[in-house]
Amino acid sequence: MGTKRVLAFDFGASSGRAMLGTFEDGRIRLEEIHRFSNDPVTVGGTMYWDVLRLFHEIKQGILKGKHAGGFDSIGIDTWGVDFGLLDADGYLLENPIHYRDGRTQGMLEESFRRMEKKRFYEITGSQFMDINTAFQLLSLAVKRPDVLKRARTLLFMPDLFNYMLTGEKKTEYSIASTSQLLDARTGTWSGEVIQALGLPKELFTEIVPSATKVGKLSPAICQELGVASADVIAVAAHDTQSAMAAVPAQTDDFIFISCGTWSLFGTELDAPLINEKSERYNITNEGGYGGKASFLKNIIGLWLIQESRRQWAREGEELGFGDLETLAAAAKPYQCFIDPDAPEFVPAGDVPGRIRSYCQRTGQYVPKDKGEIVRCINESLAFKYRVNLEEIQDCTGKQYGSIHMVGGGTQSALLCQMTADACGCPVVAGPVEATVMGNVALQLMACGEIGSLREVRELVKKSPDIHVYESHGTEDTKQAYERFCQLMDREDAQ
């Protein structure tokens, strides 16, 4: 086989990039060719994604891919749950609204008035979160029904970009599964849920499997950019599932953490697991490549550090992530904890101030400086991982010997080591570029260059940035975890 080159776009909550993936001699080589910020814009009290600018950046990435030697296909992955609405003529009704916008406040409770919570979970197998597509749409049905009346098509963010490139309206399976509108067992839209929430069923398009060719670059795009036609492939369009494809696991049973702005903690199953325990623990069943189910929890992740860093920059102190890690490493361990998923930590703003208020409210030591705040965040995340590990083991009846951590969070040696110590098992960290690696690999699978997911994971194991952190938990770690669990119990009881 010759050389195959594909272009992968990976959109995170704060930045995006275009990466050129080259497959040659049984290896995947990645080259970043374009990077850009992804800045939400608030207008009139509503927080939007700047979708037209983001599409402009896709075009710039395509141009740079052309100048770097060309490519055979394009794949796009993004965060989950958010979407654009098209009218009858295929035009966007408005910019897609950011999941951190406040419009879904109260919509969880409203949904349970329309559909019994147990039945809702029984169908979707999804973790109840205010940000989910179902509740964003419900807010439109309740507060802005005129928008839904004019809407004819819903496209999730990666599907929307694919549509802008090709003119084809398709919904990729993994991104659909973030919506809480999918029947987890059949992999199709749930008419029962859609009807109960009062949503127009005609909004939802055909669902296609991960790694499906959905079209080609439109003649207009090719003419505008002076590029040759290329396949546009619906990879695992939810970034978590592209990352899942690149977890270098050697066994079928493994625990993973896709660690970035969010931490997605879970395991891979052949079929959804929906029962009383999974409902009680509020665990989601997300669709992945080959119809696999990612049995996982969404945990607020490095957002807490990212937003703390932004707050300190607003106050006039520019500190790199490495600087913050050094300060945290020097701070005294196990002084105070937070629940990373507490509602006050979801919106943008003064996260350090909210952490101090949380600690004061819960009768704990109040962190005084940046190092203590970052250490509090990291230790709390590590212990939250331990809680979720125990819940998943309880649901599956399995024990897991190690944890695979992938994504940008693996660049924090401190967090990786804290996770190993808290969970009492080794952490296999890397690759950092798991999402892009999975995006590229799934394009190669769609083109017939790679035959199976197992082959992909064998390729990823060769990555040089995989490191193992052995567990060195102490009696102090054990006692601190007990304090953390007591704090979570008290907070849940309120």
Side-chain angles (χ1 to χ4, degrees):
M1 286 188 181
T3 301
K4 194 78 171 178
R5 293 159 65 83
V6 304
L7 186 59
F9 287 93
D10 173 38
F11 286 85
S14 59
S15 67
R17 62 261 178 84
M19 303 277 280
L20 199 60
T22 302
F23 185 53
E24 190 175 31
D25 299 326
R27 289 184 177 273
I28 296 174
R29 186 175 73 254
L30 300 178
E31 177 189 359
E32 183 178 300
I33 59 173
H34 185 50
R35 179 177 284 270
F36 47 92
S37 66
N38 182 6
D39 304 298
V41 180
T42 299
V43 180
T46 298
M47 182 181 284
Y48 299 95
W49 295 105
D50 195 352
V51 67
L52 297 183
R53 176 173 168 261
L54 295 179
F55 188 61
H56 168 77
E57 300 293 357
I58 289 176
K59 289 180 179 179
Q60 301 314 300
I62 290 172
L63 280 172
K64 290 181 180 180
K66 166 192 168 183
H67 296 314
F71 51 87
D72 301 295
S73 65
I74 295 171
I76 298 173
D77 67 76
T78 77
W79 64 96
V81 307
D82 288 338
F83 56 88
L85 294 173
L86 307 181
D87 67 12
D89 296 316
Y91 292 104
L92 265 177
L93 287 172
E94 61 182 1
N95 275 352
I97 295 178
H98 196 294
Y99 61 80
R100 292 192 192 276
D101 183 77
R103 66 175 173 166
T104 57
Q105 186 173 358
M107 290 301 110
L108 264 175
E109 294 76 11
E110 174 63 24
S111 75
F112 300 149
R113 286 190 283 271
R114 299 179 179 217
M115 184 173 209
E116 196 257 330
K117 182 179 180 182
K118 184 176 182 63
R119 178 60 180 159
F120 203 165
Y121 183 82
E122 193 176 80
I123 295 171
T124 66
S126 292
Q127 179 180 353
F128 288 105
M129 300 177 70
D130 288 322
I131 66 174
N132 290 350
T133 314
F135 311 118
Q136 294 194 44
L137 285 170
L138 182 57
S139 77
L140 289 177
V142 172
K143 303 172 185 176
R144 302 177 67 201
D146 58 300
V147 174
L148 284 186
K149 285 179 183 176
R150 289 185 289 133
R152 293 295 179 270
T153 307
L154 178 147
L155 292 175
F156 295 93
M157 296 303 296
D159 303 318
L160 180 61
F161 291 136
N162 288 345
Y163 164 69
M164 290 175 169
L165 291 173
T166 68
E168 298 290 335
K169 302 171 186 174
K170 306 286 186 185
T171 301
E172 186 275 330
Y173 173 54
S174 75
I175 202 75
S177 73
T178 69
S179 67
Q180 203 149 20
L181 295 167
L182 208 66
D183 185 314
R185 293 183 176 86
T186 65
T188 58
W189 298 116
S190 170
E192 184 177 343
V193 171
I194 290 167
Q195 182 177 0
L197 298 183
L199 307 177
K201 63 179 184 301
E202 62 271 15
L203 288 179
F204 304 98
T205 76
E206 174 194 359
I207 296 173
V208 299
S210 307
T212 294
K213 294 180 184 180
V214 292
K216 288 185 172 291
L217 285 180
S218 70
I221 293 284
C222 292
Q223 183 177 1
E224 176 190 352
L225 302 180
V227 297
S229 183
D231 290 323
V232 175
I233 295 171
V235 292
H238 186 213
D239 51 12
T240 300
Q241 294 309 314
S242 274
M244 273 293 299
V247 172
Q250 300 179 44
T251 62
D252 291 336
D253 292 327
F254 60 89
I255 288 287
F256 70 90
I257 310 173
S258 180
C259 187
T261 300
W262 289 84
S263 287
L264 292 303
F265 187 105
T267 189
E268 186 176 73
L269 303 175
D270 290 329
L273 177 56
I274 302 173
N275 56 29
E276 289 183 5
K277 285 183 178 178
S278 67
E279 180 186 3
R280 184 171 73 251
Y281 293 138
N282 201 21
I283 299 176
T284 205
N285 288 267
E286 188 174 294
Y289 174 78
K292 295 277 190 180
S294 290
F295 188 64
L296 60 82
K297 287 289 285 282
N298 289 273
I299 306 165
I300 290 181
L302 299 182
W303 159 259
L304 295 166
I305 292 176
Q306 294 163 354
E307 193 61 15
S308 293
R309 181 170 173 258
R310 280 188 281 268
Q311 177 62 28
W312 290 322
R314 288 190 285 267
E315 294 170 359
E317 292 190 73
E318 295 279 356
L319 291 166
F321 291 110
D323 299 324
L324 295 177
E325 180 152 332
T326 299
L327 293 172
K332 184 178 177 181
Y334 308 136
Q335 294 191 93
C336 54
F337 310 109
I338 59 170
D339 178 359
D341 294 316
E344 56 259 53
F345 300 127
V346 174
D350 185 6
V351 166
R354 294 174 199 161
I355 288 174
R356 293 190 186 96
S357 296
Y358 183 100
C359 292
Q360 186 172 37
R361 175 176 64 79
T362 54
Q364 300 182 84
Y365 172 82
V366 178
K368 295 182 174 61
D369 56 35
K370 297 175 181 63
E372 290 183 344
I373 286 171
V374 174
R375 185 162 196 119
C376 171
I377 292 170
N378 280 340
E379 288 177 342
S380 299
L381 280 174
F383 284 146
K384 193 73 183 246
Y385 297 157
R386 169 72 179 272
V387 169
N388 285 285
L389 173 63
E390 292 175 353
E391 290 176 352
I392 286 170
Q393 288 181 156
D394 188 30
C395 288
T396 64
K398 298 175 180 177
Q399 298 292 311
Y400 303 91
S402 62
I403 294 172
H404 284 275
M405 184 185 289
V406 300
T410 62
Q411 296 175 94
S412 171
L414 185 65
L415 179 58
C416 292
Q417 187 61 60
M418 286 178 174
T419 301
D421 294 346
C423 295
C425 64
V427 167
V428 182
V432 173
E433 298 291 359
T435 302
V436 173
M437 184 72 79
N439 180 320
V440 167
L442 289 168
Q443 290 188 63
L444 294 170
M445 291 179 75
C447 297
E449 296 289 324
I450 297 178
S452 69
L453 199 57
R454 186 172 295 277
E455 187 179 339
V456 171
R457 288 171 172 163
E458 286 294 327
L459 284 170
V460 176
K461 277 168 54 181
K462 300 173 185 176
S463 174
D465 67 338
I466 295 177
H467 305 283
V468 178
Y469 295 83
E470 298 292 343
S471 178
H472 302 301
T474 64
E475 183 61 29
D476 286 345
T477 308
K478 179 181 176 182
Q479 292 177 5
Y481 179 61
E482 290 173 355
R483 285 168 44 215
F484 178 82
C485 290
Q486 290 167 3
L487 174 66
M488 296 300 99
D489 290 343
R490 288 199 305 272
E491 290 293 281
D492 288 342
Q494 291 183 359

